[in-house]
Structures are given as structure tokens and as C-alpha cells.
Amino acid sequence: MKKISIIVPCYNEEDALLTFYRETSRIIKGMGNEYELIFVNDGSTDNTLDMMKQLAAQDEHVTYFSFSRNFGKEAAMYAGFCNAAGDYIAVMDADMQDPPALLPQMIELLENGEYDSVATRRMNRKGESPVRSWFAHKFYQLINHISDTDIVDGARDFRLMKRDMVDAIIEMSEYNRFSKGIFGWVGFRTYWLSYENVERIAGETKWSFLKLFKYAIDGIINFSQVPLSIASWGGMLMTLAAFVLMLVIVVRRALFGDPVAGWASTICVIIFIGGVQLFCLGIMGQYIAKTYMETKHRPHFIIAETNKDGVKKIC
Ligand code: UDP
Ligand code: MG
């Protein structure tokens, strides 16, 4: 029988945690597999950590890692991957948006041996604002266009993976993590399971529109160099256009002795070109900033408290 590790990143989830724990434990106990529930407290400011401690005290299947501050969901998942002992490893949200009822089917699919991972995607975005959905769709269209890595629209981080795949993910130790891209990049045979969107049972989403927008930009910069190419090709085209324009002006001056005119249009061109240059510099700046962060080799997370021995506390 395979051991299953379930990683649960938690940031201020006091209202949802208990329901999640009860439901997931009930379902996974029914499977008869050995298992561990890894709760990662990502710097919560509510009672999340106390609840984790209580659960750990009464249930030996529960492990908790508590970060020294909020490092973000990506870091929480990474901490889980680095410390999970299972043969099959899953990531699940604490808010019941990832239905634990799917676990038995996912485990069965892996046990049949044909697949290395079972990933989930939402069939729809019921309950989400139309503007947000629209931007999300556009993001997925764009990133799939400009990146070689397949990033599925509506994909959740909820997946069950075999050990080999998780080992490959741990090897991808980049500081700027975009898991949806990393899961696709490592490859392996993945089965996609679709389900109706479920709204979170309590609390509210930790993702503001701005945070999501930044995450989307991160995804693009991490998995595509096309913006850089656009900047350099755009620059080349503009230089070419400027040469042609110069030629036209010189010839016109020689033939017709053009009087001075077009102050307004000159200013427009200068401002336009200035804008394009700044935009391109900005794109380069984004890549340089990412490189800068990578070269520092800062740890992804710092675990301040845990109930487990031999844990990688800083990584
Ligand atoms: N989360 C986290 N750290 C953060 C933000 C979120 O660990 O900085 C956790 C959160 O507790 C939840 C999961 O990541 O279990 C997904 O967050 P949320 O439900 O807010 O995202 P959504 O489902 O709305 O995309
Ligand atoms: Mg959620």
C-alpha cells in the first residue's frame, strides 16, 4: 500500500481548517492507505497555528510547519514537497475548493500505473467575477502562445503526483516559482480530471486582482522570453522606419526645399519613441530583477516551528 502525503498551504484559514481536516481525514481513512496531512502555516495572523497544534496533538497523521512570516503559497507548497515522505503526494487548498471526494479516484488512477500525476481543472469559473474570468482566460491564451510549456486554462494546483515527479519539482529550485508552469515543464504523464467549480466554504480569497496580475506577469517572465524578443525586434523595426523616414526627408528637402513645418508631429514622434524605449527597458528590467533575485540564492522559506523531527527548516 502506498503512503500518501497531502500538503495544505494555509494562510488565515481558521474558519475552514477544521472542516477540511474532518472531511479529508474521513475520505482518506476510508481508502486504507497510510497517510500524512502536512499543514503549512504561511504566517497566519489568526488562530490557524493553534488549530494545527491541537489537531497534531490528537492525530498522529497531522504534521505542521509554521513559517517565520508569510512567504506565499508557492513557498508553502515547496516546503511541503521538500519534506513529504509519501509515495504519492498531493497539494490541496484548505478552503474546500479542492474537493477531497476526488482523492479516491485520483489514487486509483495513479495505482493503475499508466499515469504519473492526476491534475484537476475547473470546467467553469462559476461564482467568479466576469472581469476576473476574462482576464484569466486571456492570460492562459497569451502564455500558451508565447511559452513552450503547456499551461492549462482552469488548472488548479490540486494534483496527486508520484514521488519521481515531486523529486523533479524539488530539483527546480528557482526562487521565483510559478507552479502551474513548473508542473508542465517537468513533463510526465498527466491525467486531467475536470470538475465543477466549488466556492470556498469560509473566509475569503487571498488573491486580490493586483496580486493575481503580478502572478500572471511572473508566469510570463518565468516561462517565456518572447517579451524580450518583441522588445528587440520592435527596436529594429523602428530603426529601419527611422532610416526610411530620414531618406524621405533628405530627398524632399533636396528636391523641393521644404520650409520648416510639423513641429507638433515631431514632438509626437519623439514622445512615442521615448515611450517605446522606456517600455522595452521596463521589460528588460523585469528579467534583470528576476535574475538578481535568483543570484542571491535566498531560501524559499524558513520554518520557525514544527512537530516533526528531521525537517528541512530552511531551504
Ligand atoms: N495561501 C497561502 N499563502 C498565501 C495565500 C494563500 O498559503 O499567501 C493558501 C490559502 O490558505 C489557501 C490556498 O493557498 O489554502 C489558496 O488560496 P486562496 O483560496 O485564497 O486562492 P484561490 O482559491 O482564491 O485562488
Ligand atoms: Mg481557494
Side-chain angles (χ1 to χ4, degrees):
M1 268 276 171
K2 303 285 192 223
K3 176 169 178 164
I4 295 160
S5 299
I6 297 180
I7 300 164
V8 193
C10 300
Y11 178 50
N12 294 343
E13 297 287 5
E14 61 179 5
D15 296 329
L17 200 63
L18 215 55
T19 315
F20 173 86
Y21 164 77
R22 288 200 186 118
E23 263 302 291
T24 310
S25 303
R26 185 179 64 79
I27 285 165
I28 203 134
K29 269 204 181 95
M31 298 284 302
N33 288 68
E34 208 188 317
Y35 72 95
E36 61 175 352
L37 284 172
I38 303 176
F39 291 116
V40 185
N41 172 36
D42 184 15
S44 302
T45 49
D46 62 0
N47 279 324
T48 303
L49 178 59
D50 290 336
M51 292 175 73
M52 287 178 183
K53 285 181 179 169
Q54 270 172 25
L55 292 177
Q58 52 182 264
D59 184 347
E60 51 166 17
H61 294 106
V62 174
T63 302
Y64 67 85
F65 303 146
S66 184
F67 284 175
S68 59
R69 64 168 170 85
N70 178 258
F71 280 87
K73 185 185 177 187
E74 289 287 345
M77 289 198 282
Y78 194 63
F81 290 143
C82 292
N83 289 300
D87 305 296
Y88 296 167
I89 296 151
V91 180
M92 289 178 85
D93 283 7
D95 57 10
M96 300 293 285
Q97 279 194 293
D98 299 331
L102 292 178
L103 281 170
Q105 191 187 353
M106 292 166 85
I107 293 169
E108 207 173 302
L109 277 160
L110 283 198
E111 273 189 336
N112 287 341
E114 244 178 272
Y115 296 99
D116 301 301
S117 129
V118 181
T120 59
R121 57 181 301 205
R122 302 187 276 186
M123 278 185 273
N124 51 30
R125 289 173 174 268
K126 206 177 68 193
E128 202 181 62
S129 92
V131 181
R132 207 170 160 132
S133 301
W134 188 84
F135 272 103
H137 279 309
K138 287 292 156 208
F139 164 71
Y140 283 109
Q141 266 174 12
L142 177 72
I143 197 160
N144 279 309
H145 224 79
I146 62 176
S147 158
D148 300 332
T149 310
D150 199 18
I151 297 168
V152 177
D153 189 358
R156 306 246 343 143
D157 289 332
F158 179 29
R159 21 170 106 214
L160 184 71
M161 292 169 276
K162 284 190 180 161
R163 186 80 243 171
D164 287 348
M165 182 161 172
V166 173
D167 286 342
I169 291 168
I170 295 172
E171 277 301 302
M172 292 187 69
S173 59
E174 59 220 64
Y175 185 78
N176 297 290
R177 300 187 71 76
F178 182 71
S179 282
K180 288 183 172 51
I182 292 175
F183 293 149
W185 193 94
V186 295
F188 291 97
R189 297 159 303 175
T190 300
Y191 182 89
W192 284 95
L193 206 62
S194 298
Y195 68 94
E196 284 272 331
N197 190 29
V198 188
E199 286 184 52
R200 63 158 49 237
I201 48 159
E204 45 190 60
T205 176
K206 312 300 182 294
W207 294 87
S208 63
F209 188 79
L210 191 70
K211 222 170 151 188
L212 266 183
F213 187 75
K214 280 191 186 147
Y215 190 58
I217 300 278
D218 261 359
I220 290 172
I221 299 214
N222 285 342
F223 282 91
S224 169
Q225 272 131 37
V226 169
L228 278 181
S229 309
I230 292 175
S232 45
W233 280 105
M236 253 189 259
L237 273 177
M238 280 212 135
T239 318
L240 206 76
F243 265 119
V244 173
L245 210 68
M246 248 156 52
L247 218 73
V248 171
I249 290 169
V250 168
V251 170
R252 216 169 69 160
R253 176 79 178 80
L255 292 185
F256 308 110
D258 214 11
V260 178
W263 179 84
S265 56
T266 312
I267 293 295
C268 287
V269 170
I270 290 176
I271 291 177
F272 173 69
I273 293 182
V276 171
Q277 279 175 339
L278 274 185
F279 179 68
C280 293
L281 266 180
I283 294 179
M284 268 169 234
Q286 289 282 341
Y287 282 87
I288 292 171
K290 297 272 177 231
T291 317
Y292 176 62
M293 285 312 287
E294 294 295 340
T295 53
K296 287 184 182 226
H297 297 297
R298 284 187 180 164
H300 298 84
F301 59 84
I302 298 169
I303 296 178
E305 251 187 285
T306 172
N307 62 335
K308 198 177 174 186
D309 296 328
V311 164
K312 237 190 210 171
K313 287 192 171 171
I314 301 178
C315 181

